[in-house]
Amino acid sequence: MIVVMEPNALEEQIQKVVDRAKELGFQAIINKGEVQTVVALIGDETRLAGTDLLEEIEGVRRVERIQVPFRLASRTTQYADSVIEIAPGVKIGGAEDLVVMAGPCSVETEEGIIQTARAAKASGAKVLRGGAYKPRTAPRTFEGLGELGLKLLKQAKEETGLPIVTEIMDIRDVDKVCENADILQVGARNMQNFSMLNELGRVGKPVLLKRGMSATIDEWLLAAERIMHHGNSKVILCERGIRSFDAKYTRNVLDVSAIPVVQKLSHLPIIIDPSHGTGKTAFVRAMALAGVAAGANGLMIEIHPDPENALSDGPQSLKFDQFDVLMKEINQVYAVTKPLFCSKALAHK
């Protein structure tokens, strides 16, 4: 349920709504927009008796029931796009500039991650990605350097100034990863690891939530809702490809249509991962440019100094010179499309 205030509503009128909601047993979340304020009521909707009295409070325009289950993530609850600060000077969401996250699938060596971080920054990437803990289907494949990988990522950050995004695999590692990373990534396999999502709702760091390989958009947004319900509103969605009946030509099917769909349903920023979405270097460029053209808030791209000998995901990683060329093309497409998407919320009103 939401309470839409009049554009000229006073602070004391908004507070009366909050106080009344709490008396009724609801959690009240205030979302202040440029034009008006909306108060979202979260709680047991069977306890609706008395909510009609909210409309009688001066300054209230109307009270609405929200039909979607992902209330906090819904654009109905928060009309304006969420803008999430990753690091000083690096923000993602709304009309902020496109954020490109680049780096290797896995941190392998000190030399390799430092070299990659320098190349990523030189080409215009704003965030360094790299896996310290890697989920792998086969048990005898490289699964990351663990804590050493985190230390090497932190060293690369100190060298280049790039903030870090890395995947968290175990709820027991939350504090350890928080100490070293600026964004905590939830991989596709953990999108519905509810214990982990609950815990990430209690940290103050941004969370990059990848779409599960067979997840519907509603399931994906409900996973984001769980993080937000537990107190962390800094959620970035990442479309990374979904399972298809035909995996002969690409690793996954990158659902570019998810970008405008999510932006219609939710205020949360959304990026795409064309590397995992295709699984093949030859297709990364086309899907990266398609994502920019569709209005994504950012991209996550795998790059490696020697993809042929990478310990994981080499076939989908770009060499540094390929990434540099792609970044120039991304900027060209973005220069054309940015004016069309600088006010997405207006188009979804």
Side-chain angles (χ1 to χ4, degrees):
M1 175 176 291
I2 60 171
V3 181
V4 181
M5 306 300 296
E6 295 287 355
N8 59 350
L10 302 176
E11 288 296 327
E12 52 263 35
Q13 294 170 339
I14 297 171
Q15 189 58 46
K16 283 184 180 179
V17 171
V18 172
D19 293 341
R20 178 57 180 160
K22 289 180 178 178
E23 290 173 4
L24 295 170
F26 289 90
Q27 176 189 2
I29 299 174
I30 301 174
N31 294 309
K32 291 189 176 181
E34 294 182 6
V35 178
Q36 62 188 173
T37 296
V38 174
V39 182
L41 307 186
I42 310 298
D44 184 359
E45 294 193 354
T46 62
R47 303 174 62 181
L48 292 177
T51 55
D52 54 328
L53 298 177
L54 292 169
E55 293 183 318
E56 298 179 7
I57 297 176
E58 189 174 358
V60 172
R61 171 170 287 191
R62 66 182 184 274
V63 178
E64 295 181 1
R65 293 283 301 276
I66 301 177
Q67 300 302 319
V68 295
F70 40 87
R71 293 167 177 79
L72 296 177
S74 170
R75 193 175 286 279
T76 306
T77 301
Q78 180 177 317
Y79 176 67
D81 293 329
S82 284
V83 176
I84 298 171
E85 185 172 20
I86 297 169
V90 182
K91 297 179 180 180
I92 187 165
E96 299 294 328
D97 286 337
L98 188 79
V99 172
V100 177
M101 307 177 186
C105 173
S106 301
V107 179
E108 299 170 356
T109 65
E110 177 182 345
E111 179 183 3
I113 192 61
I114 297 294
Q115 185 181 3
T116 302
R118 288 172 178 165
K121 183 176 182 178
S123 295
K126 299 297 183 183
V127 179
L128 175 65
R129 64 143 294 153
Y133 303 94
K134 289 302 303 177
R136 305 298 297 278
T137 303
R140 286 178 293 278
T141 50
F142 179 68
E143 295 188 334
L145 298 176
E147 194 167 352
L148 174 59
L150 292 176
K151 292 179 180 178
L152 294 180
L153 282 169
K154 190 172 184 179
Q155 187 175 334
K157 177 182 177 179
E158 293 171 351
E159 175 81 17
T160 62
L162 291 177
I164 300 299
V165 56
T166 193
E167 185 166 354
I168 182 163
M169 288 292 301
D170 193 315
I171 194 171
R172 294 169 294 185
D173 295 326
V174 170
D175 291 339
K176 192 185 307 179
V177 176
C178 280
E179 290 175 7
N180 295 278
D182 299 276
I183 309 172
L184 281 64
Q185 176 182 312
V186 177
R189 292 170 177 82
N190 275 314
M191 190 205 81
Q192 291 183 310
N193 182 338
F194 299 131
S195 296
M196 180 179 291
L197 299 182
N198 292 345
E199 185 62 28
L200 293 178
R202 301 184 181 99
V203 304
K205 294 284 181 97
V207 175
L208 188 144
L209 180 65
K210 286 199 167 187
R211 183 180 180 182
M213 59 186 70
S214 300
T216 65
I217 287 177
D218 277 2
E219 290 168 340
W220 186 19
L221 289 173
L222 281 169
E225 182 80 6
R226 179 174 287 273
I227 297 171
M228 298 174 77
H229 176 75
H230 286 277
N232 188 354
S233 61
K234 301 175 184 177
V235 180
I236 303 164
L237 301 169
C238 180
E239 164 59 44
R240 47 78 70 197
I242 52 177
R243 279 280 172 87
S244 165
F245 55 84
D246 186 357
K248 181 178 180 180
Y249 299 105
T250 60
R251 180 176 181 177
N252 297 294
V253 174
L254 188 65
D255 186 4
V256 178
S257 69
I259 299 168
V261 171
V262 164
Q263 288 170 341
K264 182 176 179 62
L265 295 172
S266 176
H267 54 84
L268 297 175
I270 176 173
I271 72 170
I272 67 162
D273 178 352
S275 300
H276 280 90
T278 63
K280 297 187 178 181
T281 301
F283 304 140
V284 170
R285 171 183 176 271
M287 289 296 95
L289 298 179
V292 177
N297 299 110
L299 302 168
M300 175 175 274
I301 299 174
E302 291 190 357
I303 63 174
H304 195 282
D306 184 13
E308 289 81 4
N309 293 299
L311 296 180
S312 59
D313 285 356
Q316 65 191 36
S317 299
L318 301 183
K319 295 180 180 179
F320 296 161
D321 59 342
Q322 293 174 315
F323 178 65
D324 191 62
V325 171
L326 177 57
M327 283 297 292
K328 291 179 173 65
E329 295 175 330
I330 285 170
N331 289 331
Q332 290 174 344
V333 174
Y334 185 60
V336 175
T337 58
K338 181 178 180 180
L340 304 177
F341 294 105
C342 64
S343 184
K344 301 184 187 75
L346 185 62
H348 304 316
K349 186 174 181 181

